[in-house]
Amino acid sequence: MEDWIASWEGLSFPKLKEASLQKIETTGKKLLVEAGVEEEEAALEVRLLLQECFSLNTASYLLRKQELLCKADREKVEAAGIEQTEILGKLHSFFENFEKRRRRIPLAQILGRQSFYGLDFFVNEDVLIPRADTECLVDLVLEDYADLAKQAGSSSLNILDLCTGSGCIGISVAKHLPYQELLLVDLSEKALAVAKKNAEMHLGENVTLLQSDLLTGVQGKKFSLLLSNPPYIVSRVIPGLDREVSEYEPKMALDGGEDGLVFYRRIAKEAKAVLLPGARLYLEIGYDQGESVKDIFQKEGYEAVEVFPDLAGNPRVLRGIFPGK
């Protein structure tokens, strides 16, 4: 216990008997900014770490933020016969998590969850952390649903989520649409374990998981809807990304090869064997890949290939229709 307290005070956090949530947040924000975290994010992240360790919702946090933690806690816990070490344990837990964030480990990995399309998804170092930009893909699918149902010939869809990672795309779409089957595919066994946990939490049934190198292991099934956020970062660019990404997120989920387009070429060819006539596919793409990916799918015979922007106006989602035979 004494070791972490010395480190705590060495970083200019308030002495324990003088500590309040507000004082800790102020110091923590300064330290995270010094570590390279964006200033507008630092205070919120410290607050979320404190709320996690003290089991406080936002309203409770704001109500208690000025209290001296040890003094306030002592008055409450001594009446119940609980030792003061409880508050020290919570502060110790916060400090361990804070030090992880100071090393630029992503906040979502520290907390073990990330919000995506109104749902909380379990995440760890084995999967790409869901991004807000990817929600544009889900938006587009849901907007198109009337046409999708018509093309599928029924109100229930057969959905394939390729390179599923945490499963956030496929699970979010299935949560909002009637579906007959959802297949979550990834090459990583560890990623599939994460996707399985999320599928059980949010859907519970009609979900199949498959370890496969893209579509090579998908046999005897046809799908009306293919979703994917494949790796699309140019290999040489990855080391220069933010540390949270380059050091702590799985390279397998990022590396799109020499030009970032390797997986799009494969999907465009391999998907023909698993798509129903009239099936649609929705793929996330890089901000500068719109025309390149569009050209790949048009040359492979897909119809009505279009690129749609994210909220910042950058190309983000490609949609195409498989004509079939």
Side-chain angles (χ1 to χ4, degrees):
M1 184 70 76
E2 293 180 357
D3 290 342
W4 79 263
I5 292 176
S7 298
W8 169 281
E9 294 181 349
L11 288 174
S12 299
F13 277 108
K15 293 182 179 180
L16 296 180
K17 290 184 178 180
E18 300 172 358
S20 67
L21 296 171
Q22 179 65 68
K23 290 181 179 179
I24 295 171
E25 180 184 318
T26 299
T27 303
K29 174 186 175 182
K30 177 176 178 292
L31 291 168
L32 287 188
V33 170
E34 291 175 354
V37 177
E38 293 291 334
E39 186 171 359
E40 57 269 24
E41 298 175 4
L44 176 60
E45 293 191 355
V46 177
R47 178 180 296 186
L48 291 173
L49 290 173
L50 284 168
Q51 287 182 214
E52 179 76 9
C53 293
F54 283 86
S55 302
L56 297 172
N57 59 29
T58 301
S60 298
Y61 179 90
L62 294 174
L63 190 64
R64 290 192 55 189
K65 65 186 297 185
Q66 303 294 343
E67 292 180 3
L68 293 176
L69 291 171
C70 291
K71 178 181 177 181
D73 192 70
R74 181 185 300 114
E75 293 171 349
K76 296 174 182 176
V77 300
E78 286 183 355
I82 302 173
E83 294 183 359
Q84 180 65 23
T85 51
E86 180 181 355
I87 192 69
L88 296 181
K90 292 176 180 178
L91 287 171
H92 186 198
S93 178
F94 162 76
F95 189 60
E96 287 185 327
N97 287 339
F98 176 80
E99 285 292 80
K100 291 177 183 178
R101 186 65 189 110
R102 206 159 68 96
R103 296 199 303 272
R104 304 290 293 278
I105 295 176
L107 181 68
Q109 289 182 6
I110 297 170
L111 297 177
R113 64 181 182 275
Q114 177 66 30
S115 177
F116 181 85
Y117 220 80
L119 300 173
D120 274 347
F121 285 86
F122 168 69
V123 296
N124 61 18
E125 67 279 3
D126 298 319
V127 297
L128 197 68
I129 297 168
R131 264 76 169 176
D133 286 342
T134 306
E135 293 185 349
C136 297
L137 189 156
V138 179
D139 278 335
L140 186 59
V141 174
L142 299 186
E143 289 171 5
D144 288 350
Y145 174 62
D147 288 340
L148 289 173
K150 182 178 179 181
Q151 292 292 339
S154 72
S155 61
S156 296
L157 300 170
N158 295 323
I159 304 172
L160 168 61
D161 183 3
L162 193 59
C163 305
T164 191
S166 67
C168 66
I169 296 176
I171 292 170
S172 295
V173 169
K175 190 74 173 177
H176 290 83
L177 298 182
Y179 69 98
Q180 181 176 340
E181 180 183 10
L182 172 62
L183 177 62
L184 305 178
V185 177
D186 205 289
L187 179 59
S188 167
E189 184 178 0
K190 291 180 177 180
L192 286 174
V194 174
K196 182 175 186 292
K197 184 171 182 177
N198 286 320
E200 290 174 346
M201 179 166 52
H202 294 301
L203 297 174
E205 59 184 14
N206 295 338
V207 181
T208 305
L209 296 100
L210 175 67
Q211 184 178 10
S212 173
D213 179 8
L214 286 185
L215 292 160
T216 57
V218 180
Q219 303 292 332
K221 294 184 178 183
K222 297 283 186 176
F223 297 89
S224 50
L225 178 58
L226 186 153
L227 315 168
S228 186
N229 180 12
Y232 58 73
I233 306 298
V234 175
S235 300
R236 66 179 180 277
V237 171
I238 294 175
L241 299 175
D242 288 343
R243 284 182 58 194
E244 284 88 345
V245 178
S246 63
E247 294 184 19
Y248 295 107
E249 295 202 69
K251 187 177 180 181
M252 179 188 293
L254 299 169
D255 195 339
E258 186 175 345
D259 63 357
L261 303 174
V262 170
F263 289 90
Y264 298 112
R265 295 190 185 96
R266 286 191 57 190
I267 292 171
K269 292 180 181 296
E270 295 178 21
K272 296 176 184 180
V274 303
L275 293 179
L276 292 165
R280 297 195 182 195
L281 50 80
Y282 297 78
L283 308 175
E284 180 166 334
I285 62 175
Y287 74 95
D288 58 351
Q289 295 175 327
E291 290 304 314
S292 299
V293 180
K294 185 176 180 179
D295 183 62
I296 289 171
F297 280 85
Q298 286 177 330
K299 286 181 177 178
E300 289 294 335
Y302 292 84
E303 299 177 348
V305 180
E306 296 182 68
V307 174
F308 297 84
D310 56 25
L311 294 177
N314 297 315
R316 185 59 58 190
V317 180
L318 178 133
R319 181 183 67 189
I321 299 175
F322 176 61
K325 294 182 179 179

